[in-house]
Amino acid sequence: PAGFKAHCPRLLRLGQEIVCFYRDMEPHRPGISYSLSSDEGATWHFGGRLYAAPGAYAGWGMACGYPATVVLPEGGIFCCFHTDFREGRSEIRGLHLKTA
């Protein structure tokens, strides 16, 4: 067990750390989040939230998710995902994340 509730994970290695991007299934913070491990996945700590869902999950077909990532040549990360369905629509969003 990773110690966090998640769906549709995407793993990425950054140097000595592993980053897991995922649909956050914690009831108090639905959206897209990431957690980090510096011990090959034995333990994880919450890194932050990239997208805050507009409300509680209303079923799997309505939820955000499926983050995809790529390491950019200058060392940053590009992460894209789809937002929650609202009024029959969803968006594909992307974030350019800078690494420390």
Side-chain angles (χ1 to χ4, degrees):
F4 54 90
K5 296 177 183 176
H7 186 261
C8 46
R10 175 69 61 199
L11 295 173
L12 185 66
R13 178 174 289 283
L14 291 176
Q16 298 299 313
E17 290 193 303
I18 299 172
V19 185
C20 182
F21 296 88
Y22 52 90
R23 177 192 304 157
D24 200 328
M25 299 302 292
E26 294 290 347
H28 63 282
R29 62 168 190 247
I32 304 293
S33 297
Y34 69 97
S35 291
L36 302 112
S37 175
S38 57
D39 57 9
E40 299 298 316
T43 61
W44 294 88
H45 67 275
F46 180 73
R49 191 159 62 162
L50 303 177
Y51 166 74
Y57 291 118
W60 292 103
M62 301 300 289
C64 62
Y66 300 100
T69 58
V70 64
V71 176
L72 300 172
E74 69 275 8
I77 300 168
F78 185 76
C79 178
C80 68
F81 53 88
H82 76 79
T83 64
D84 287 73
F85 284 86
R86 296 290 179 215
E87 299 176 7
R89 298 175 54 115
S90 177
E91 297 176 342
I92 300 294
R93 293 191 182 174
L95 298 170
H96 180 196
L97 308 169
K98 296 186 181 206
T99 55

